[in-house]
Amino acid sequence: LLALAAILLDMAAQTTLILGQHCIYRLDEGARARLNSVFIATFFVGGAIGSQVASVVYHAHGWTGVAVFGAAVPLLALLYWGTEHRSAARRGAAVRGVR
């Protein structure tokens, strides 16, 4: 089960990477290399920070703390995405003159 979980986590990380690259490649065809460099650097810096914070949380609160931290970060991201998505839709409606 542990090996299966590791494989699934690796697949999820690779899927996230590919989907992120797909999104940034649509931004500016002339700046793909620069955008990809910033994206990959941010991806790895975020992973390093997450690993360090998880290590600190583990030493302070054990596996329960790591599990809570691991659940809280994506939930915060989801909440941010939901509010960003809604506010972007409102801005777009305001630009078009729709209420």
Side-chain angles (χ1 to χ4, degrees):
L1 286 176
L2 189 59
L4 180 62
I7 291 169
L8 289 174
L9 284 172
D10 186 54
M11 287 174 56
Q14 293 298 323
T15 301
T16 301
L17 182 65
I18 291 168
L19 290 174
Q21 285 177 315
H22 175 72
C23 290
I24 64 165
Y25 282 168
R26 294 186 320 180
L27 296 175
D28 184 2
E29 287 185 27
R32 281 186 174 179
R34 290 186 302 270
L35 289 170
N36 191 53
S37 296
V38 170
F39 175 72
I40 294 297
T42 304
F43 194 84
F44 282 106
V45 168
I49 291 170
S51 295
Q52 182 60 41
V53 171
S55 176
V56 170
V57 169
Y58 174 75
H59 287 291
H61 303 288
W63 283 113
T64 303
V66 173
V68 170
F69 172 68
V73 171
L75 286 174
L76 290 172
L78 181 63
L79 289 172
Y80 174 77
W81 177 81
T83 58
E84 176 75 13
H85 184 67
R86 256 187 256 128
S87 64
R90 286 187 196 134
R91 283 191 304 269
V95 169
R96 291 187 307 272
V98 179
R99 291 188 183 242

